[in-house]
Amino acid sequence: MADISITNVIWSFNNKTKELLVLLLKNSEEQMWGLPTTYLRKTENAEESSLRLVREKIGVDLPLVNTEQLATFTDIHRAKKRELALTYMIYLPDMPGLVPGYGADDAQWFSIKPSSENYLLQHGKLSFETLDENIDRNEFYLQSDLFKNSNGLISDHALILRTAFNRIRNRLDYSPTILRILGPTFTLKKARIIYSILLRVSLTEIDNSNFRKTHKRLFLEVGTENIKGAGRPGKVYRLK
Amino acid sequence: MADISITNVIWSFNNKTKELLVLLLKNSEEQMWGLPTTYLRKTENAEESSLRLVREKIGVDLPLVNTEQLATFTDIHRAKKRELALTYMIYLPDMPGLVPGYGADDAQWFSIKPSSENYLLQHGKLSFETLDENIDRNEFYLQSDLFKNSNGLISDHALILRTAFNRIRNRLDYSPTILRILGPTFTLKKARIIYSILLRVSLTEIDNSNFRKTHKRLFLEVGTENIKGAGRPGKVYRLK
DNA sequence: GCTTTAAAAGTAAAAAGTACCTAAATAACT
DNA sequence: AGTTATTTAGGTACTTTTTACTTTTAAAGC
């Protein structure tokens, strides 16, 4: 009856600029940016489809455990034809190189950058106007009411992206899976950078010492940083 | 391509026996119990479909805000034909009367009752064998690995039910929407009963006084109980 | 009025969170 | 080599929250 699309929100991290990234593709037909999307095949379940999409667009072959269901969007008017969007989230370290692939003219990592209270899509920085705090609470109901295409993204991909952002933020306290974008291990500094972006506060507002205390239950110490640089080398952790 | 089914996990509460209830229907064809299910129509989104199902089975007409997306199950072999299950949760007070309706031979409220470590489906009591604590964390990945039909429920409805149970339990601390089954207002005693069932501890293990202190941020006092009975009448609250 | 029951309210100790400071480890500079 | 700047680990005292337990209050039944 309806077409089944699989849409991925793929997160990564720029180690040089310390930016939180999300992957967008430029649609050949409409020349608008949107999230990577494919169609579910007869022979695969949605998780497999989501990972196939990653393989096709980024050339990375991930095990099943690396994709995580976000939500399903079913609004009648969300696409030209009736189409359900089964959305997934994926966390990739190292900001892999991109190739546009079939149906896309361009592929780019967009930086999620808080600008005062808002996020704006400008100059390669992705940002939402008045990121609605209530979306996560309401994301499962009234999707049609929340439907707004305010960011110049294709279809309802702005809504999907906000839902993803809020989900990640709400999970920060007990399951900060977003830290996977830092690779298998990470320093507390990098973790704090991610937290500061998601919580939209400056890095100094997240106290180094207190962050260590309140989060050590989530992290496991596995060694010490061995990179060159000024200052004491940080300890290296991984997610428990 | 695939059929789209809408499956509801409908929760309620028995005010006399103080039991947490879930609605199951007996399938005419297979003579097995399962969750209420319908098929998505061209003219409706999934939330509307979920509420139509409630209306058809229980005769209650709810506003859109009363259904909440649980997860989408896409395993290739989850049904005889390829069929995606978009699942929703609904909280109904007063344990409404039931009519089997089309395709069902019986409709019943089943009590979720913890028996030691396990939950067993016996004598109208619904229960899971070794309710896996990890399902919620993993529910969005590896669904096919978790697929087990261990409760005599149709298809993968046992998995759906466990996913629902774990979701509710994890949300208890910050968004105890399950308390809607108590009606618009409730006493702390009743809230504690729900918590004790979900956390699988005895009522006395949830201290009355401390429960009040730790949960007052979630509840709003709206008056005092005016029912007849021994003991001081409890205050009445509603969800903030 | 006294006893029983059930819930609200109080108290003190423990645990967790917060603001701020000191110590340690490294690089760069004189 | 010794000093300084930089960065992160670790410590301390204070505040808030949670927890275990006790007391008070408000009703019903006799």
Side-chain angles (χ1 to χ4, degrees):
Chain A
M1 176 202 117
D3 286 334
I4 312 297
S5 69
I6 307 291
T7 294
N8 281 340
V9 182
I10 305 177
W11 299 96
S12 196
F13 186 70
N14 186 331
N15 269 301
K16 291 195 189 70
T17 61
K18 314 294 182 198
E19 288 172 308
L20 177 63
L21 306 169
V22 70
L23 176 60
L24 295 182
L25 305 179
K26 195 177 208 171
N27 184 289
S28 299
E29 201 181 324
E30 289 156 287
Q31 289 293 307
M32 286 176 83
W33 292 96
L35 295 161
T37 299
T38 188
Y39 288 94
L40 182 68
R41 294 179 182 169
K42 287 195 196 75
T43 53
E44 64 190 7
N45 67 25
E47 287 79 10
E48 288 162 350
S49 184
S50 161
L51 292 175
R52 171 174 58 76
L53 181 54
V54 174
R55 195 163 52 242
E56 288 172 0
K57 297 292 176 191
I58 311 188
V60 181
D61 209 345
L62 296 169
L64 256 184
V65 76
N66 281 273
T67 189
E68 164 191 322
Q69 193 169 108
L70 177 62
T72 296
F73 297 82
T74 64
D75 196 280
I76 302 175
H77 302 108
R78 63 168 299 285
K80 281 165 210 153
K81 288 173 54 186
R82 182 75 196 262
E83 180 186 302
L84 305 189
L86 277 53
T87 65
Y88 286 80
M89 288 209 285
I90 286 144
Y91 310 100
L92 288 183
D94 302 328
M95 195 177 64
L98 305 170
V99 277
Y102 179 78
D105 280 1
D106 198 359
Q108 248 190 259
W109 290 108
F110 278 73
S111 168
I112 297 281
K113 220 165 177 138
S115 69
S116 73
E117 290 284 304
N118 305 331
Y119 290 68
L120 297 160
L121 175 56
Q122 290 178 324
H123 318 302
K125 309 273 185 208
L126 224 209
S127 31
F128 305 104
E129 45 169 278
T130 53
L131 208 160
D132 186 356
E133 304 284 343
N134 296 318
I135 283 186
D136 195 58
R137 248 186 304 147
N138 296 325
E139 71 189 343
F140 296 126
Y141 4 109
L142 293 174
Q143 279 167 4
S144 46
D145 288 345
L146 287 169
F147 175 81
K148 265 196 268 171
N149 184 7
S150 52
N151 281 333
L153 295 188
I154 208 167
S155 181
D156 56 355
H157 289 197
L159 170 62
I160 295 172
L161 208 42
R162 287 172 203 216
T163 306
F165 187 86
N166 285 314
R167 171 76 58 88
I168 287 173
R169 193 160 52 160
N170 287 341
R171 289 195 171 183
L172 233 41
D173 280 337
Y174 61 100
S175 177
T177 39
I178 182 68
L179 297 181
R180 291 189 190 202
I181 63 175
L182 298 175
T185 62
F186 51 85
T187 58
L188 290 189
K189 177 74 175 289
K190 282 190 184 174
R192 280 171 56 226
I193 291 170
I194 304 294
Y195 275 67
S196 76
I197 295 169
L198 291 169
L199 299 173
R200 287 184 287 172
V201 296
S202 72
L203 188 59
T204 50
E205 283 179 73
I206 303 176
D207 185 90
N208 180 354
S209 175
N210 295 337
F211 186 80
R212 178 176 294 105
K213 270 183 275 183
T214 52
H215 288 84
K216 68 173 170 220
R217 70 194 159 84
L218 298 170
F219 306 153
L220 194 72
E221 197 183 316
V222 289
T224 307
E225 220 179 1
N226 67 343
I227 55 149
K228 295 270 176 236
R232 181 174 175 170
K235 290 187 171 176
V236 171
Y237 298 81
R238 64 176 178 77
L239 284 172
K240 263 187 185 158
Chain B
M1 176 201 116
D3 284 335
I4 313 297
S5 69
I6 306 292
T7 294
N8 281 340
V9 183
I10 305 177
W11 300 95
S12 197
F13 185 69
N14 186 330
N15 270 302
K16 291 194 188 70
T17 61
K18 314 293 183 199
E19 288 173 310
L20 178 63
L21 305 170
V22 71
L23 176 61
L24 295 181
L25 305 179
K26 196 178 208 172
N27 183 289
S28 300
E29 201 181 325
E30 290 157 285
Q31 288 293 306
M32 286 176 82
W33 292 97
L35 296 161
T37 299
T38 189
Y39 290 94
L40 182 67
R41 295 181 182 167
K42 287 195 197 78
T43 52
E44 64 191 5
N45 69 24
E47 288 77 11
E48 288 163 349
S49 185
S50 161
L51 292 175
R52 172 173 57 76
L53 181 54
V54 173
R55 194 164 52 243
E56 286 171 1
K57 297 293 177 189
I58 310 186
V60 181
D61 209 344
L62 297 170
L64 256 184
V65 77
N66 280 275
T67 190
E68 164 190 321
Q69 193 170 108
L70 177 61
T72 297
F73 296 83
T74 64
D75 197 279
I76 301 173
H77 302 108
R78 63 169 299 283
K80 281 164 209 152
K81 288 172 53 186
R82 183 73 196 267
E83 181 186 303
L84 305 189
L86 275 54
T87 65
Y88 286 79
M89 290 211 282
I90 286 143
Y91 311 101
L92 288 182
D94 302 328
M95 195 177 66
L98 305 169
V99 277
Y102 179 78
D105 280 0
D106 199 359
Q108 251 190 255
W109 290 107
F110 279 71
S111 168
I112 297 281
K113 208 138 198 158
S115 69
S116 71
E117 289 286 303
N118 306 333
Y119 288 69
L120 299 160
L121 176 55
Q122 290 176 324
H123 319 302
K125 310 272 186 208
L126 224 210
S127 33
F128 307 103
E129 46 170 279
T130 53
L131 208 161
D132 187 357
E133 305 283 342
N134 295 319
I135 283 185
D136 194 57
R137 247 187 304 147
N138 296 324
E139 69 190 342
F140 295 125
Y141 3 108
L142 293 174
Q143 280 168 5
S144 46
D145 288 344
L146 287 170
F147 177 81
K148 265 196 268 172
N149 184 6
S150 54
N151 281 332
L153 295 189
I154 210 166
S155 180
D156 57 354
H157 288 196
L159 170 61
I160 295 172
L161 209 40
R162 288 172 202 219
T163 305
F165 188 86
N166 284 313
R167 170 75 58 87
I168 287 174
R169 193 159 52 159
N170 287 340
R171 289 197 169 180
L172 232 41
D173 280 337
Y174 61 98
S175 177
T177 38
I178 182 68
L179 297 181
R180 290 190 189 199
I181 63 175
L182 299 176
T185 63
F186 52 86
T187 59
L188 290 189
K189 177 76 173 289
K190 282 191 182 173
R192 280 170 58 225
I193 290 170
I194 303 294
Y195 275 66
S196 76
I197 294 169
L198 292 168
L199 300 172
R200 286 184 288 173
V201 297
S202 72
L203 188 59
T204 50
E205 283 180 74
I206 303 175
D207 185 271
N208 181 351
S209 175
N210 292 340
F211 186 81
R212 177 174 296 104
K213 271 182 272 186
T214 53
H215 288 83
K216 70 174 168 215
R217 69 195 159 85
L218 299 169
F219 306 153
L220 194 72
E221 198 183 315
V222 288
T224 307
E225 219 178 3
N226 67 343
I227 57 152
K228 295 269 175 233
R232 180 172 176 172
K235 290 186 173 178
V236 171
Y237 298 82
R238 63 175 179 78
L239 285 172
K240 261 181 185 160

